[in-house]
Amino acid sequence: MKLSKRKARVLSSAIQDWEKGALITPEQAKQLRHSYQIVGFDWRLLAVYSFWIAISCLIIAVGVLLADDYLLALLAQIIDTPASVLALLSAGIAAACYIIGTRRRDKFPEKNISNEATFFFGVFMTAVTVAFLRETSGIAHRYDALLLLLLTLVYGVLGIRLNSVLIWLFALISFGAWEMVQTYELANPEGYFLGMNQALRFVFVGIAVLAVSRLAERRVEYQYLSEPTLFVGLLYLLSTLWLLSIFGNYADATEWADVPQIHLLPWSILAGLVCLGVIYLGIRFDNPLCRSFGITFLLINLYTRYFEYFWESMHKTIFFAILALSFWLLGTKAEKLWQLGRQLQSESQKH
């Protein structure tokens, strides 16, 4: 068995603890130590980075092409084709990418990284197809929200049918974009829809995504989508609540600038309570993702309030001294909890 240096250290420490606790004999410990090899270089990580860099460079190349008027005019002369035809062409390329990715996954299931990268090109070309549809004479920028909803449905169906977490994640991203565009089009001139600004409206997007995660968890065939959906839902919900704690339910920057920060305190309390609720659920149901998100955003909210209320009123020497002390105490507490976790794990192995 081949392991990275980090995993080998963890395994070696575990074997040492088992040997000290008399759970295994010295002969068994020696046999276990010779059962794995340390890999000097993480080629899998290099593969992941290489594929993502290749994809990023392709997107940058396309972006630079579209931003260059000369190249764009030259391309228009070379390819004098209606947008509807280009949409069909890009849709065909996207379909080919999905087919190739599916066949590669069936033939080489161990090559998960390159298979998902192939799916990503399909995702990209699907978005290009929708962009070309937007340029057709029949649509002509009038149905942006409808096109985003169509993109969400396409990604969602493909993500489920092809069992691809990557495509499913883009469905969730497209869903968030659709909500923003749709409610913006329905909002009044002041920027409010049903009395809510964009940030407050997006809270319901996070709640909806979390509900989908819960539904996926209950269905065995969709459980592989539950954790990625939970990740996006928590990110949407907690980050939006954090923004609300700063800007409140104001759509106009001038109006917000005239409001005392203390008037936004209820939003800060709400954001903190939701973070505590997420931490509680993470502890109760032993979900590390909920615990991590809850703790992270609770700290972000606390430090944001500290900067808001004390940056101007407190001397900077005292301000940064308190900040340093708080991080020191936080690090000390985290270290104690880490040591306690190791101690409990060691005791459970002995018993």
Side-chain angles (χ1 to χ4, degrees):
M1 181 170 58
K2 296 181 179 180
L3 300 174
S4 64
K5 291 182 179 180
R6 182 176 60 84
K7 292 182 178 179
R9 285 197 299 267
V10 174
L11 183 56
S12 177
S13 177
I15 294 172
Q16 185 177 359
D17 290 339
W18 294 338
E19 186 178 5
K20 288 182 179 179
L23 296 175
I24 57 176
T25 63
E27 291 76 15
Q28 290 174 325
K30 184 177 180 181
Q31 185 178 3
L32 287 173
R33 290 190 179 95
H34 287 86
S35 65
Y36 64 89
Q37 296 178 349
I38 299 177
V39 180
F41 189 81
D42 193 345
W43 292 103
R44 182 183 181 279
L45 188 61
L46 177 62
V48 172
Y49 288 155
S50 298
F51 281 118
W52 282 113
I53 290 173
I55 291 170
S56 301
C57 289
L58 176 64
I59 295 174
I60 292 172
V62 174
V64 171
L65 173 64
L66 296 177
D68 193 306
D69 294 335
Y70 173 77
L71 292 177
L72 202 58
L74 181 63
L75 183 64
Q77 293 178 0
I78 297 174
I79 309 176
D80 188 13
T81 309
S84 56
V85 177
L86 292 175
L88 289 174
L89 180 62
S90 57
I93 297 174
C97 291
Y98 293 131
I99 293 172
I100 293 172
T102 304
R103 290 180 177 176
R104 277 181 55 87
R105 186 174 60 185
D106 294 338
K107 190 175 182 180
F108 308 106
E110 73 281 0
K111 295 183 178 181
N112 183 59
I113 302 170
S114 57
N115 294 337
E116 288 294 303
T118 306
F119 281 141
F120 178 83
F121 285 111
V123 168
F124 177 71
M125 292 309 299
T126 303
V128 171
T129 301
V130 173
F132 280 131
L133 281 175
R134 185 173 179 266
E135 299 299 325
T136 58
S137 58
I139 297 177
H141 304 269
R142 289 178 293 180
Y143 303 102
D144 289 344
L146 186 61
L147 289 175
L148 283 171
L149 181 59
L150 174 63
L151 190 63
T152 301
L153 294 175
V154 170
Y155 284 156
V157 171
L158 288 173
I160 293 174
R161 293 296 299 272
L162 300 180
N163 295 325
S164 173
V165 174
L166 176 71
I167 302 176
W168 177 254
L169 288 175
F170 275 94
L172 299 177
I173 295 172
S174 299
F175 175 65
W178 166 77
E179 184 277 337
M180 294 179 68
V181 174
Q182 182 66 77
T183 57
Y184 177 80
E185 292 178 353
L186 297 175
N188 58 28
E190 288 75 28
Y192 294 97
F193 174 69
L194 298 178
M196 298 179 289
N197 67 356
Q198 186 62 264
L200 184 54
R201 299 195 296 265
F202 209 79
V203 169
F204 295 96
V205 176
I207 294 173
V209 174
L210 290 175
V212 173
S213 173
R214 182 61 177 166
L215 291 174
E217 187 179 5
R218 292 182 175 180
R219 300 287 295 273
V220 177
E221 64 270 29
Y222 301 136
Q223 284 182 352
Y224 69 99
L225 296 175
S226 176
E227 188 170 350
T229 308
L230 177 64
F231 177 89
V232 175
L234 289 173
L235 181 63
Y236 281 173
L237 177 63
L238 297 183
S239 59
T240 308
L241 286 172
W242 173 65
L243 289 175
L244 281 171
S245 71
I246 299 174
F247 300 105
N249 188 26
Y250 292 97
D252 184 75
T254 305
E255 184 182 1
W256 167 75
D258 295 334
V259 175
Q261 200 65 36
I262 194 68
H263 289 183
L264 303 177
L265 186 59
W267 293 110
S268 304
I269 296 174
L270 175 62
L273 290 176
V274 172
C275 290
L276 291 174
V278 171
I279 295 172
Y280 170 75
L281 292 175
I283 295 173
R284 180 177 179 182
F285 297 103
D286 193 23
N287 190 314
L289 190 60
C290 287
R291 291 199 303 268
S292 300
F293 261 97
I295 292 172
T296 300
F297 275 91
L298 180 62
L299 291 174
I300 290 174
N301 276 283
L302 289 175
Y303 280 106
T304 301
R305 304 290 80 76
Y306 179 70
F307 273 87
E308 283 179 344
Y309 294 125
F310 299 107
W311 175 254
E312 294 182 355
S313 60
M314 186 180 294
H315 193 279
K316 297 303 178 286
T317 301
I318 301 175
F319 180 90
F320 283 105
I322 294 176
L323 198 62
L325 178 62
S326 67
F327 276 108
W328 180 275
L329 294 175
L330 181 63
T332 303
K333 187 64 176 180
E335 184 181 23
K336 289 181 179 178
L337 291 174
W338 173 70
Q339 291 175 346
L340 179 61
R342 289 196 63 183
Q343 182 180 354
L344 292 174
Q345 184 179 8
S346 178
E347 291 177 356
S348 63
Q349 289 173 352
K350 291 180 181 179
H351 294 294

